[in-house]
């Protein structure tokens, strides 16, 4: 028989009062902190970087092998957890590129994964390339079932389970995703996800393939799915209506664990969640987590590399890296910035009156000043 922890005074479960107090304290230390929720993964998400898969579908994209290797290496050094590659079934060159990148010896936290159709033929090709994992996908909306592959949900489930079993037998990580998730029947989706979860997939995927979802729809679907499966949840958002970043954040709040991104958001049509944009959103409420995992100072370098490869300019309003991202012209904003600069300058001058200053000295003063401002918030 289980004992009652309250009987001996050992019940240390948080009360509503202590939880509320903790949330108030969190808000005082960071007023932009995400709303607390036991499902939320805003402080423990991972990135599936898809520039070398989704990004290849961008109108201007053509990555030769050398460029792919440069991008993969840069992304690995930046700190993304996964790099997703185009299926080797796409072409003979894609297969050779997949094999080359898989042999790079990128850090263990950064395995390469193939994105393939949910067929045994494609799965075998992917596993033969020596990748860490295989991402399989099949359309589940009525539109795709009718016009893409012509299978009903029973056939889709049977095929998915066969492919998952094969990939697992090859020792690869496996993610199963529905395509066009937000236009699929919810009951159909949940039954399919439950079946593949029971089969032992490492992640299930939710895809807003046509970019029609809103943050509220995303939150509702992911939260419902979180109650059905025990495995990780990956999400893929197209940006046709400008909601990709907001949708990604809503998904994490609802319990998703992985977000698909691409550098500068490049991809089919208007692209997907941009790597820099996602991290700009996440650093506001999850500063310590983001800065401890990703080398943000290398973001501009990666964006320059990809922008040159696809012959576009980095947008002026690109989060963090846009040329005017930190430009102030409104009087009230400029005054606040200038007041802080004046105070910082006076600190540097005061120290310079005591002894000569090197660049490292001024850097230290600036860092200390920044930390003081954070403490005052």
């Amino acid at each position: 028989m289980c004992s009652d922890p309250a009987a001996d005074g050992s019940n240390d479960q948080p009360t509503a009062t202590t939880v509320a107090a903790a949330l108030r304290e969190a808000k005082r230390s960071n007023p932009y902190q995400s709303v607390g929720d036991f499902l939320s993964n805003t402080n423990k998400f991972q990135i599936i970087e898809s520039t070398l898969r989704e990004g290849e579908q961008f109108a201007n994209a053509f990555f030769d092998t050398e460029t792919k290797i440069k991008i993969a290496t840069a992304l690995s050094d930046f700190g993304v957890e996964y790099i997703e590659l185009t299926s080797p079934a796409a072409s003979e060159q894609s297969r050779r590129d997949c094999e080359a990148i898989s042999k790079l010896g990128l850090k263990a936290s950064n395995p390469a994964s193939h994105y393939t159709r949910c067929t045994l033929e494609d799965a075998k090709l992917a596993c033969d390339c020596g990748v860490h994992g295989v991402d399989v996908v099949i359309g589940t909306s009525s539109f795709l079932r009718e016009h893409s592959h012509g299978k009903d949900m029973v056939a889709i489930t049977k095929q998915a389970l066969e492919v998952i079993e094969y990939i697992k037998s090859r020792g690869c990580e496996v993610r199963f995703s529905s395509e066009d998730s937000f236009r699929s029947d919810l009951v159909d989706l949940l039954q399919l996800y439950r079946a593949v979860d029971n089969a032992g997939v490492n992640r299930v995927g939710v895809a807003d393939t046509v970019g029609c979802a809103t943050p509220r729809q995303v939150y509702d679907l992911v939260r419902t799915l979180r109650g059905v499966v025990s495995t990780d949840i990956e999400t893929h958002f197209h940006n046709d209506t400008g909601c990709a970043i907001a949708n990604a954040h809503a998904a994490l709040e609802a319990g998703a664990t992985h977000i698909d991104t691409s550098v500068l958001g490049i991809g089919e049509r208007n692209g997907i969640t941009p790597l820099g944009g996602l991290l700009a959103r996440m650093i506001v409420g999850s500063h310590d987590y983001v800065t401890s995992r990703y080398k943000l100072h290398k973001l501009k370098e990666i964006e320059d590399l990809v922008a040159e490869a696809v012959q576009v300019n980095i947008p002026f309003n690109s989060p963090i890296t846009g040329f005017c991202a930190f430009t102030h012209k409104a009087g009230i904003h400029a005054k606040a910035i200038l007041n802080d600069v004046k105070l910082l300058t006076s600190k540097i001058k005061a120290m310079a009156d005591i002894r000569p200053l090197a660049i490292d000295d001024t850097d230290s003063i600036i860092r200390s000043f920044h930390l003081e401002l954070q403490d005052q918030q």
Side-chain angles (χ1 to χ4, degrees):
M1 177 183 291
C2 295
S3 61
D4 182 359
D8 59 4
S10 62
N11 188 351
D12 59 356
Q13 295 298 311
T15 66
T17 302
T18 59
V19 169
L23 289 175
R24 286 196 297 272
E25 178 56 34
K27 278 294 184 184
R28 277 195 292 270
S29 61
N30 182 356
Y32 306 105
Q33 185 73 37
S34 299
V35 176
D37 191 310
F38 73 98
L39 288 175
S40 178
N41 285 316
T42 55
N43 279 308
K44 48 185 175 181
F45 62 92
Q46 294 188 23
I47 292 174
I48 315 287
E49 227 302 315
S50 190
T51 299
L52 296 180
R53 200 280 298 175
E54 176 71 46
E56 280 207 302
Q57 297 173 249
F58 178 60
N60 284 6
F62 173 77
F63 301 137
D64 58 24
T65 303
E66 181 182 1
T67 301
K68 288 181 180 180
I69 289 174
K70 286 180 180 178
I71 293 172
T73 302
L75 289 170
S76 174
D77 185 47
F78 181 78
V80 300
E81 288 78 11
Y82 292 82
I83 295 176
E84 188 176 61
L85 307 174
T86 296
S87 170
S91 69
E92 183 60 25
Q93 187 60 52
S94 292
R95 183 188 63 78
R96 288 194 294 267
D97 290 343
C98 289
E99 291 176 344
I101 293 173
S102 297
K103 294 175 182 177
L104 286 177
L106 302 178
K107 58 187 179 181
S109 63
N110 195 328
S113 298
H114 286 318
Y115 178 94
T116 72
R117 295 169 298 185
C118 187
T119 68
L120 285 172
E121 294 80 7
D122 282 15
K124 184 179 187 304
L125 276 173
C127 292
D128 288 346
C129 287
V131 292
H132 172 91
V134 181
D135 301 341
V136 296
V137 62
I138 191 167
T140 53
S141 68
S142 60
F143 306 99
L144 294 182
R145 290 187 353 235
E146 179 181 354
H147 301 292
S148 178
H149 52 69
K151 299 183 185 333
D152 61 18
M153 292 305 298
V154 173
I156 287 173
T157 302
K158 181 177 183 292
Q159 183 172 324
L161 295 178
E162 289 175 351
V163 173
I164 289 165
E165 182 180 3
Y166 173 78
I167 295 171
K168 289 178 62 182
S169 74
R170 294 291 301 271
C172 292
E173 180 178 295
V174 56
R175 180 220 69 183
F176 174 84
S177 179
S178 64
E179 186 180 9
D180 207 7
S181 308
F182 289 89
R183 296 194 299 174
S184 299
D185 181 83
L186 180 60
V187 174
D188 287 343
L189 275 184
L190 297 182
Q191 289 178 341
L192 177 59
Y193 284 132
R194 183 181 289 113
V196 299
D197 183 38
N198 290 336
V201 294
N202 298 90
R203 295 189 307 282
V204 294
V206 173
D208 182 20
T209 305
V210 297
C212 64
T214 67
R216 181 169 180 172
Q217 289 174 313
V218 169
Y219 187 90
D220 287 346
L221 177 56
V222 174
R223 182 156 190 161
T224 300
L225 180 58
R226 181 72 285 165
V228 171
V229 301
S230 59
T231 191
D232 288 341
I233 299 175
E234 178 181 340
T235 52
H236 182 91
F237 299 108
H238 278 261
N239 201 37
D240 299 74
T241 58
C243 290
I245 296 173
N247 284 344
H249 189 266
L252 291 175
E253 287 190 315
T257 54
H258 296 68
I259 301 294
D260 291 4
T261 69
S262 69
V263 177
L264 295 175
I266 63 171
E268 190 173 56
R269 304 186 313 277
N270 288 15
I272 65 169
T273 309
L275 174 64
L278 175 69
L279 292 178
R281 169 59 265 177
M282 300 314 301
I283 198 172
V284 175
S286 309
H287 179 274
D288 292 346
Y289 180 83
V290 171
T291 55
S292 68
R293 295 182 72 87
Y294 307 111
K295 298 178 181 177
L296 299 181
H297 64 282
K298 291 183 175 291
L299 180 61
K300 181 64 162 58
E301 176 184 332
I302 294 174
E303 291 189 350
D304 285 341
L305 173 62
V306 173
E308 181 179 359
V310 298
Q311 299 180 351
V312 300
N313 294 320
I314 295 175
F316 76 93
N317 59 348
S318 184
I320 303 176
T321 57
F323 80 88
C324 61
F326 301 101
T327 299
H328 297 271
K329 290 187 74 174
I332 189 170
H333 296 158
K335 181 179 179 181
I337 296 297
L338 290 173
N339 284 341
D340 279 347
V341 172
K342 290 177 181 178
L343 183 57
L344 176 59
T345 302
S346 67
K347 288 179 178 289
I348 294 174
K349 286 182 176 180
M351 182 62 71
D353 287 340
I354 300 174
R355 61 177 176 81
L357 296 183
I359 293 179
D360 287 345
D361 295 320
T362 56
D363 283 346
S364 178
I365 294 171
I366 292 171
R367 282 194 295 270
S368 297
F369 181 74
H370 178 67
L371 291 174
E372 289 176 11
L373 289 179
Q374 286 185 323
D375 291 340
Q376 294 169 11
Q377 290 178 350

